[in-house]
């Protein structure tokens, strides 16, 4: 071990697991990153280098590209400044195994910053022509190995599906994932309580809900979701049942013992110069259905009947579903249950309302237009108060609160200076033999405790005054935006444009109305508290 080890900020360490490492860990070989960190730490110590903790980057996510590896992005940002002498890594292949563009970025970053790549086997000097070629060849072989591994995995995936195995990591509602005995792969087994809910959903949708007269009446997806929520039946994640969750269960052939493959294929696109991975829904003819090894929960005839009913009531097309029709979308929060409130459209020339769709929430809805008007009026009130506040400040010029805080900080500084002088004098008295070690330790501890306490008090005051100044700066920046909204808001026709303007200045608005009655004399009798985008 080198005894002349120095702490150096000039070197970095990058740690990343490969697919082989993950497989080895599953077979019980221990945690890879810790083992690699130990090897690289010993190597750096032999070279007389100590790498501080903040210069060690551990990649805990598995990503093919640089864009999907945040720690690698940090390393490259530091390397390209030219301030680092080297990066410790187990193998050059750990730096990039993505496409040719990513490999080129890595190679050029190290070359033009003249940063060495230090591995247990070899040190690569980018300024050396032979090392540069060796490094680029290593990246090329890494990419080739990745493609070979990926092809092998895809073949294995296809083979598993053809054998009826379940290849996904999360089991659908009603099932749990179980390891197959004496062979590779997984299948599904039913969860009794959840499978009863799945059967109930199908029964309500295809046969109906029993009535008092003994007959059955079919109910729709929205009512099924509301029923389950009112019955306090939890979803897998503990949230509320939604129409999309119910529709997903009703349309999933997994419940008749089938495995669906190719439903959401991975598609890569180049958008604005970046590779984006999308998973669009496949066409029906491209989806493969294979008999699974797992037990069915639903009879095939019932499932087919559910598909007929679903085809009669398809989900809204994407453009209609996501077009903003509510100018207050995402902004109004229910005070009673903290849900985002929604627009409820009406026909026959009746005005739209703003409502909370919580199944048990008692917050009363209001006309959307009335809430919209109250919101703009609240912004007008805030703007007038803001102008008045700063007119007063201009006249006074001095802020009394800031003056008091600054005086308190000065007093603390004076007290801290006195205590520090006392502490220095105690050291002198200890050296002169006036204080014994025991007395010195006792008294110095008391003074040190007081100093720490005063420093904390000073930090609180500094944060308070900085926070106040920061808030005032934000208010100054928001004021012209709010003034512009008040001027142009009612001239806009598109709800999306109105929504975009409001979201520039508003964090949220909290709504509450307790007075019920459709024909109430005061339809605008509700509370609306606005929260601007200001530091707390």
């Amino acid at each position: 071990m080198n005894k002349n080890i120095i702490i150096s900020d000039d070197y970095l360490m990058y740690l990343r697991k490969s697919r082989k490492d993950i497989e080895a860990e599953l077979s019980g070989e221990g945690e890879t990153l810790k083992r690699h960190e130990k090897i690289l730490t010993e190597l750096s110590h032999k070279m007389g280098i100590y790498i501080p903790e903040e210069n060690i980057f551990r990649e805990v996510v598995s990503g093919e590209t640089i864009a999907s590896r945040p720690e690698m992005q940090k390393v490259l940002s530091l390397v390209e400044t030219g301030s680092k002498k080297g990066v410790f890594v187990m193998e050059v292949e750990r730096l990039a195994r993505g496409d040719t563009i990513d490999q080129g970025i890595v190679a050029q970053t190290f070359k033009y910053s003249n940063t060495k790549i230090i591995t247990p086997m070899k040190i690569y000097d980018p300024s050396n022509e032979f090392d540069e070629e060796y490094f680029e060849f290593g990246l090329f072989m890494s990419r080739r190995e990745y493609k070979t591994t990926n092809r092998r995995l895809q073949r294995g995936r296809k083979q598993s599906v053809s054998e009826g195995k379940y290849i996904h990591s999360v089991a659908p509602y009603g099932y749990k994932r179980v390891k197959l005995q004496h062979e590779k792969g997984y299948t599904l087994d039913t969860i009794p309580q959840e499978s009863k809910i799945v059967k109930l959903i199908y029964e309500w949708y295809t046969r109906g809900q029993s009535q008092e007269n003994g007959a059955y009446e079919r109910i729709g997806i929205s009512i099924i979701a509301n029923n389950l929520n009112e019955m306090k039946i939890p979803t897998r994640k503990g949230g509320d049942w939604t129409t999309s969750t119910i529709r997903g269960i009703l349309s999933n052939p997994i419940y008749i013992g089938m495995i669906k493959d190719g439903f959401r294929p991975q598609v890569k696109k180049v958008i604005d110069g970046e590779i984006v991975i999308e998973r669009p829904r496949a066409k029906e003819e491209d989806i493969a259905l294979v008999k699974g090894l797992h037990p069915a929960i639903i009879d095939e005839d019932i499932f087919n009947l559910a598909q007929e009913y679903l085809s009669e009531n398809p989900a809204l097309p994407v453009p209609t579903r996501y077009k903003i029709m509510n100018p207050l979308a995402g902004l109004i929060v229910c005070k009673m249950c903290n849900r985002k409130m929604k627009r409820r459209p009406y026909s026959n020339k009746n005005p739209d309302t703003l409502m909370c769709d919580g199944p048990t929430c008692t917050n009363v809805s209001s006309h959307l237009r009335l809430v919209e008007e109250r919101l703009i009026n609240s912004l007008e009130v805030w703007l007038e108060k803001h102008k008045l506040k700063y007119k007063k400040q201009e006249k006074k010029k001095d802020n009394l609160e800031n003056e008091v805080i600054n005086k308190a900080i000065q007093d603390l500084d004076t007290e801290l200076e006195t205590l520090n002088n006392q502490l220095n004098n105690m050291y002198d008295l200890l050296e002169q033999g006036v204080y014994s070690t025991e007395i010195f330790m006792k008294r110095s501890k008391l003074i040190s405790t007081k100093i720490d306490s005063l420093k904390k008090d000073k930090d609180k005051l500094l944060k308070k005054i900085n926070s106040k100044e920061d808030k005032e700066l934000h208010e100054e920046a928001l004021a012209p935006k709010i003034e512009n909204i008040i001027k142009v808001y009612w001239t806009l026709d598109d709800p999306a444009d109105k929504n975009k303007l409001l979201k520039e200045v508003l964090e949220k608005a909290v709504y509450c109305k307790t007075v019920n009655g459709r024909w109430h004399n005061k339809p605008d009798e509700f509370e609306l508290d606005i929260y601007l985008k200001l530091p707390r």
Side-chain angles (χ1 to χ4, degrees):
M1 182 68 72
N2 192 329
K3 294 182 180 180
N4 299 317
I5 296 174
I6 58 168
I7 298 175
S8 177
D9 192 45
D10 298 331
Y11 292 88
L12 310 174
M13 184 187 295
Y14 178 69
L15 303 162
R16 182 177 73 85
K17 293 179 186 178
S18 67
R19 198 180 297 275
K20 287 181 180 178
D21 295 330
I22 296 170
E23 291 173 358
E25 285 179 8
L26 291 172
S27 63
E29 285 196 15
E31 218 287 316
T32 304
L33 291 191
K34 286 184 180 179
R35 189 171 71 253
H36 287 179
E37 186 174 345
K38 183 174 183 293
I39 293 168
L40 293 176
T41 300
E42 289 175 354
L43 174 63
S44 65
H45 287 179
K46 286 178 183 177
M47 296 171 66
I49 299 165
Y50 175 83
I51 302 173
E53 175 62 28
E54 60 269 20
N55 281 10
I56 300 175
F57 298 87
R58 303 171 182 87
E59 200 78 72
V60 293
V61 296
S62 177
E64 178 186 343
T65 62
I66 292 172
S68 60
R69 291 194 274 145
E71 297 304 303
M72 187 61 197
Q73 293 172 36
K74 292 175 187 176
V75 170
L76 290 177
S77 295
L78 290 169
V79 168
E80 68 184 7
T81 63
S83 61
K84 304 302 173 186
K85 293 180 180 178
V87 175
F88 285 81
V89 65
M90 280 300 291
E91 304 153 326
V92 292
E93 291 84 355
R94 307 271 167 173
L95 295 173
R97 67 182 314 186
D99 57 24
T100 310
I101 294 174
D102 275 1
Q103 290 178 0
I105 290 170
V106 171
Q108 286 190 347
T109 302
F110 279 88
K111 179 180 178 180
Y112 295 134
S113 63
N114 200 28
T115 306
K116 291 182 172 63
I117 299 163
I118 304 163
T119 73
M121 297 297 293
K122 177 178 171 57
I123 297 175
Y124 297 85
D125 185 350
S127 62
N128 182 297
E129 183 181 348
F130 296 105
D131 277 2
E132 183 187 357
E133 287 182 3
Y134 200 84
F135 172 55
E136 290 176 353
F137 179 73
L139 293 180
F140 167 76
M141 291 302 295
S142 170
R143 176 63 180 170
R144 188 175 177 183
E145 180 191 356
Y146 170 79
K147 288 199 159 208
T148 303
T149 304
N150 198 43
R151 279 196 297 269
R152 176 173 56 83
L153 287 170
Q154 292 303 320
R155 282 198 301 269
R157 183 180 178 277
K158 291 285 184 186
Q159 181 63 29
S160 293
V161 170
S162 68
E163 293 171 0
K165 297 174 182 177
Y166 188 76
I167 61 172
H168 305 289
S169 57
V170 179
Y173 186 86
Y175 289 106
K176 61 183 175 181
R177 200 171 73 126
V178 292
K179 181 77 176 68
L180 288 167
Q181 293 185 350
H182 312 302
E183 62 175 308
K184 289 184 178 180
Y186 291 82
T187 187
L188 299 171
D189 195 9
T190 56
I191 300 173
Q193 193 58 38
E194 288 188 2
S195 61
K196 287 179 184 177
I197 304 302
V198 173
K199 289 177 181 177
L200 184 61
I201 290 170
Y202 274 87
E203 181 177 326
W204 280 344
Y205 192 66
T206 57
R207 185 184 180 194
Q209 190 174 17
S210 61
Q211 306 299 305
E212 290 182 1
N213 60 4
Y216 284 84
E217 184 180 331
R218 276 193 63 237
I219 57 176
I221 290 173
S222 298
I223 297 175
I224 291 173
N226 289 338
N227 283 355
L228 294 175
N229 288 327
E230 287 173 2
M231 292 164 69
K232 304 297 182 186
I233 294 169
T235 61
R236 179 67 62 79
K237 293 182 179 179
D240 287 342
W241 290 89
T242 63
T243 54
S244 60
T245 306
I246 302 298
R247 186 176 287 275
I249 288 174
L250 289 170
S251 60
N252 196 343
I254 200 90
Y255 296 110
I256 55 171
M258 305 298 285
I259 296 288
K260 183 164 56 174
D261 187 39
F263 178 58
R264 286 287 182 98
Q266 188 181 92
V267 177
K268 294 181 182 178
K269 293 182 179 179
V270 177
I271 300 176
D272 295 330
E274 292 187 4
I275 297 174
V276 177
I277 297 175
E278 296 180 350
R279 289 187 175 274
R281 293 178 185 271
K283 296 177 182 178
E284 285 294 327
E285 59 267 25
D286 295 331
I287 299 172
L289 281 180
V290 180
K291 178 65 179 172
L293 299 177
H294 64 280
I297 294 176
I298 301 300
D299 182 78
E300 194 169 339
D301 290 336
I302 294 173
F303 179 80
N304 291 335
L305 182 59
Q307 305 320 298
E308 287 181 24
Y309 289 139
L310 285 172
S311 65
E312 293 170 4
N313 296 282
L316 288 171
V318 171
T320 304
R321 190 193 303 173
Y322 292 109
K323 185 178 179 182
I324 294 178
M325 302 298 290
N326 177 11
L328 308 182
L331 288 171
I332 311 299
V333 177
C334 174
K335 188 175 183 178
M336 296 182 181
C337 66
N338 208 35
R339 284 182 174 87
K340 295 281 177 71
M341 298 188 67
K342 296 179 180 178
R343 162 185 166 269
R344 182 177 181 178
Y346 281 95
S347 56
N348 300 326
K349 297 183 180 179
N350 287 323
D352 295 348
T353 61
L354 194 72
M355 60 171 286
C356 177
D357 63 354
T360 58
C361 186
T362 57
N363 208 350
V364 181
S365 63
S366 288
H367 292 320
L368 176 62
R369 179 74 175 193
L370 291 177
V371 181
E372 206 176 352
E373 288 172 355
R374 177 74 64 82
L375 184 63
I376 299 301
N377 289 338
S378 298
L379 291 176
E380 288 176 350
V381 170
W382 181 90
L383 188 63
E384 286 303 314
K385 286 182 178 179
H386 170 81
K387 287 179 178 178
L388 185 63
K389 172 183 172 183
Y390 280 90
K391 277 181 183 176
K392 287 180 178 178
Q393 283 191 2
E394 283 175 10
K395 287 180 183 178
K396 193 173 180 183
K397 290 188 179 178
D398 295 321
N399 186 302
L400 182 60
E401 186 180 349
N402 283 1
E403 190 179 322
V404 171
I405 294 173
N406 283 322
K407 180 63 171 65
I409 291 171
Q410 288 176 10
D411 292 342
L412 286 172
D413 284 336
T414 303
E415 199 172 346
L416 281 168
E417 187 178 354
T418 302
L419 289 171
N420 281 319
N421 288 335
Q422 287 180 16
L423 195 59
N424 289 332
N425 291 334
M426 287 175 64
Y427 279 103
D428 292 338
L429 293 171
L430 176 65
E431 290 176 0
Q432 294 169 17
V434 177
Y435 279 171
S436 66
T437 304
E438 186 180 349
I439 293 172
F440 171 79
M441 292 296 291
K442 186 176 179 181
R443 294 190 177 181
S444 65
K445 187 177 180 180
L446 287 172
I447 292 177
S448 295
T449 303
K450 285 183 182 179
I451 289 172
D452 289 341
S453 178
L454 291 174
K455 283 181 177 178
K456 287 178 182 177
D457 291 341
K458 181 182 175 181
D459 286 342
K460 286 179 183 176
L461 292 174
L462 286 170
K463 284 179 181 176
K464 187 173 183 179
I465 200 166
N466 289 336
S467 174
K468 190 171 182 298
E469 289 173 355
D470 192 31
K471 186 177 180 181
E472 288 172 356
L473 287 172
H474 276 77
E475 285 180 353
E476 281 293 308
L478 278 184
K481 290 182 179 180
I482 291 174
E483 194 164 13
N484 179 58
I485 289 171
I486 293 166
K487 283 180 182 178
V488 306
Y489 188 83
W490 298 115
T491 67
L492 300 173
D493 295 323
D494 189 352
D497 291 337
K498 290 181 176 181
N499 188 253
K500 186 178 179 182
L501 269 182
L502 291 174
K503 283 183 175 177
E504 286 183 10
V505 299
L506 274 176
E507 182 183 312
K508 64 180 178 179
V510 179
Y511 170 95
C512 182
K513 184 176 182 180
T514 55
V515 180
N516 209 336
R518 186 172 181 182
W519 310 113
H520 183 62
N521 291 330
K522 296 181 179 178
D524 62 344
E525 193 173 326
F526 57 84
E527 298 174 16
L528 190 71
D529 298 320
I530 65 169
Y531 292 81
L532 298 176
K533 288 185 174 179
L534 293 171
R536 294 278 180 259

